[in-house]
Amino acid sequence: MTASLVFLFTSGWISAVAIALLWAITLIVARRSPEPRSTFVNLAPNAISGSALLAAFGLAMRQTQVLWLALLLAISLVAFLIDLRIRLAAQDSGLRRRTD
């Protein structure tokens, strides 16, 4: 058991397992919502950001080139910013300043 866990982490395969689990949960949550397509569109940037971070972790464990890590981290940042914009747009009316 311990040898298997060590192999999963040192080989970087743990990130592939985590990415598969992340997307499975995202799809399950989207399918169970009243509006599956809309929910998936709202959850996708967050899942993409997490996937890019997990992939960067897995490649870092395999000591890959820094350029690939930087690219994955940049993808994660862009996806995070898109996710943030979606979340703030949903709260837009509550964030406006009332001056009357």
Side-chain angles (χ1 to χ4, degrees):
M1 171 82 172
T2 305
S4 300
L5 283 175
V6 170
F7 171 76
L8 273 175
F9 276 90
T10 57
S11 66
W13 279 106
I14 191 69
S15 64
V17 171
I19 290 169
L21 186 62
L22 171 68
W23 281 100
I25 291 169
T26 301
L27 291 172
I28 289 169
V29 168
R31 282 187 158 203
R32 290 188 175 194
S33 75
E35 297 177 15
R37 190 168 292 219
S38 174
T39 302
F40 180 76
V41 168
N42 286 333
L43 292 176
N46 193 323
I48 291 168
S49 177
S51 296
L53 286 173
L54 288 166
F57 170 74
L59 291 176
M61 293 302 294
R62 298 182 78 187
Q63 298 181 348
T64 193
Q65 294 178 358
V66 174
L67 181 62
W68 287 110
L69 300 176
L71 178 65
L72 286 167
L73 292 175
I75 290 169
S76 178
L77 177 61
V78 169
F80 165 75
L81 293 173
I82 291 169
D83 178 53
L84 187 61
R85 182 173 182 189
I86 290 170
R87 290 173 192 254
L88 290 178
Q91 300 175 2
D92 191 31
S93 62
L95 295 175
R96 289 204 179 115
R97 195 175 192 186
R98 291 185 177 87
T99 58
D100 25 284

